[in-house]
Amino acid sequence: MNRSQVSKFLMRWWYAIAAMLALLGVLTWSLQPRAIPVETVSIDRGSVRSTLIDEARTRMHETFIVSAPINGELLRVTVEPGDGVKKGETLARLSRNRAGFVDARTDSSTQSLIAAAQSRLFAATAAREYASSELERAQKLADAKLIAETTLDSARTRLRAASSEEVTAKAELSRARSALLPAETQNLTNQIALIAPASGYILEVRQESATAVQAGTPIIVLGDPSRIDIVAEFLSQDALRIEAGDTALIENWSTGESASRSIRAIVERVEPTARTKISALGIEEQRTRVILRFDETLPKELRAHQYRVDARVILDQVDEVIRVPPGALFRDGENWSVFIVRDQRARLQRVGLGTRGDDFTEIKNGLRVGDKVVVFPSRELSDGARVVNEGSR
């Protein structure tokens, strides 16, 4: 075999060896575990806050119902919901035109009331005269030093009480007799004004048109905007975790630029009674009212009645602690663990938990600031597995 043939033979062997090595490399690469794509998050320090949130309504703390004081005819009401009024301002007028009519039955009843009032007055007068006579006798005995001073004081007290009863009986008789007088003789004017008991806004007009009304009929509802409360209805099992004095945040009270701003509030009280409510899904729920008051200056837009807001009550909060998103935690037997990414491999790490919040959980031990942990680890991920980071937060 000459040199040329030897060279060709060796070249063929080199090609064969190279192909075998390449095939072996491909087989080795294909048999190696594939890197698992993961998403990681960096551990930092911050606040961990546990809250409860539910729908709520604003409520004017002081509302007033202006009612008809007598039977009569209500004249047309000119105020409308939303109108601002001052204390003492006239809201409506009531005519006495229909209040003076007395039928036979009413007349008989009134006569009976007059007779009873006269009897009470006679009895009160007799009692007053008797008490006056007793006081005169007691005074003479006291001057002669035959009775104690306290006995004389008791006689004086009985006379004052009897005199008061007589005055009351006279007033009752006068009131009973006035029911038989014509309406025009009961007052110099034929109309009475319904005035605002406080400054505020008209919330509701229950009787708008002129109509006959009975005494006590609600006519106007008035609200005082100087103090606004928040009324939230939490599930009763959640309300058990809320206490008076807890801090709260009022959210979603506007859809404008100020929508993201939260307003601080304080839980004033948790009512001890639960009410059955039907949810949007038709499920019966036991809900408890939680009353909150604002802890900072109230925006003008919220000085209103029955406006919808969200009330977020802060149950627990810790600051400047090591924290991790809940999606990175998983159960490992009786312990909680995470996967830390180091040198492109996932390492199982047990951790101790503290306060559990809405967005983060406090880590007592096991992690340091700057560690990268896997969020939402898949089932195929295990300790020591090769990983490739597809995104970080």
Side-chain angles (χ1 to χ4, degrees):
M1 186 180 295
N2 56 30
R3 182 176 297 179
S4 174
Q5 290 175 334
V6 171
S7 297
K8 291 180 179 180
F9 179 76
L10 292 176
M11 287 295 295
R12 290 192 189 100
W13 272 103
W14 280 115
Y15 287 144
I17 292 172
M20 292 177 63
L21 290 175
L23 179 60
L24 182 62
V26 171
L27 289 174
T28 302
W29 177 84
S30 63
L31 292 176
Q32 284 185 348
R34 182 175 55 86
I36 301 173
V38 295
E39 184 180 355
T40 62
V41 63
S42 294
I43 299 300
D44 64 355
R45 285 185 177 272
S47 299
V48 177
R49 188 171 66 186
S50 174
T51 66
L52 287 173
I53 186 170
D54 217 316
E55 183 177 315
R57 295 285 189 276
T58 62
R59 182 186 71 180
M60 290 187 182
H61 186 74
E62 296 288 349
T63 57
F64 306 88
I65 298 179
V66 181
S67 304
I70 61 169
N71 299 340
E73 184 176 7
L74 176 69
L75 304 183
R76 184 168 183 82
V77 179
T78 57
V79 295
E80 296 182 356
D83 289 349
V85 296
K86 297 293 185 181
K87 182 177 180 179
E89 183 177 334
T90 299
L91 304 179
R93 291 189 178 277
L94 191 68
S95 173
R96 291 176 177 264
N97 287 343
R98 299 190 183 183
F101 176 75
V102 180
D103 57 20
R105 181 176 179 180
T106 304
D107 180 72
S108 177
S109 176
T110 304
Q111 292 288 359
S112 299
L113 292 176
I114 293 174
Q118 285 176 335
S119 298
R120 284 193 293 270
L121 177 57
F122 292 151
T125 301
R128 191 261 306 162
E129 292 175 350
Y130 178 74
S132 178
S133 300
E134 274 198 333
L135 178 59
E136 291 179 4
R137 287 193 296 268
Q139 185 66 57
K140 292 177 181 179
L141 293 173
D143 292 341
K145 305 297 184 180
L146 296 177
I147 60 173
E149 189 67 26
T150 55
T151 304
L152 180 61
D153 291 339
S154 297
R156 290 170 180 164
T157 301
R158 287 192 293 272
L159 177 60
R160 286 195 295 268
S163 299
S164 298
E165 288 291 336
E166 184 180 23
V167 171
T168 302
K170 288 180 179 179
E172 290 181 354
L173 178 59
S174 177
R175 184 177 63 178
R177 285 174 173 171
S178 67
L180 294 178
L181 298 177
E184 58 271 11
T185 65
Q186 297 180 24
N187 199 346
L188 295 178
T189 177
N190 205 30
Q191 295 182 1
I192 61 173
L194 304 183
I195 63 174
S199 299
Y201 292 104
I202 302 298
L203 301 181
E204 185 180 353
V205 178
R206 297 189 179 179
Q207 299 286 344
E208 295 183 355
S209 302
T211 183
V213 294
Q214 298 293 318
T217 302
I219 297 174
I220 296 172
V221 180
L222 175 68
D224 182 0
S226 60
R227 176 178 170 183
I228 303 295
D229 293 336
I230 297 295
V231 181
E233 291 191 342
F234 287 88
L235 292 172
S236 57
Q237 57 265 41
D238 289 337
L240 290 175
R241 303 167 60 190
I242 303 174
E243 297 180 354
D246 285 347
T247 302
L249 299 174
I250 306 305
E251 304 173 342
N252 296 330
W253 53 273
S254 173
T255 57
E257 296 180 357
S258 56
S260 60
R261 180 194 166 198
S262 297
I263 306 173
R264 290 179 60 86
I266 299 293
V267 175
E268 189 169 73
R269 68 178 179 274
V270 180
E271 294 187 353
T273 304
R275 298 169 175 81
T276 301
K277 299 286 185 179
I278 306 298
S279 69
L281 300 177
I283 301 173
E284 284 192 359
E285 299 174 339
Q286 292 300 111
R287 292 193 169 266
T288 300
R289 293 174 64 181
V290 177
I291 312 300
L292 306 97
R293 57 178 172 81
F294 287 99
D295 195 35
E296 61 178 88
T297 303
L298 188 63
K300 183 179 179 181
E301 297 89 337
L302 273 183
R303 295 191 177 277
H305 193 63
Q306 296 296 321
Y307 275 29
R308 184 198 177 282
V309 296
D310 287 337
R312 183 186 297 274
V313 179
I314 300 175
L315 302 177
D316 194 10
Q317 179 170 333
V318 289
D319 299 317
E320 289 302 314
V321 296
I322 297 176
R323 61 185 187 174
V324 66
L329 297 166
F330 60 90
R331 276 286 189 181
D332 180 21
E334 297 296 324
N335 303 301
W336 287 96
S337 300
V338 297
F339 280 115
I340 300 180
V341 176
R342 291 174 180 162
D343 300 327
Q344 296 184 343
R345 291 190 178 272
R347 301 298 180 183
L348 184 66
Q349 178 65 50
R350 290 181 177 176
V351 294
L353 306 185
T355 301
R356 298 190 182 189
D358 302 334
D359 303 317
F360 294 96
T361 299
E362 178 188 4
I363 299 299
K364 292 288 190 180
N365 55 71
L367 293 176
R368 296 176 298 179
V369 175
D371 287 341
K372 289 188 177 296
V373 298
V374 178
V375 290
F376 306 113
S378 62
R379 291 182 177 274
E380 58 182 326
L381 194 62
S382 60
D383 187 24
R386 294 177 61 246
V387 295
V388 56
N389 191 1
E390 288 195 339
S392 299
R393 288 197 256 171

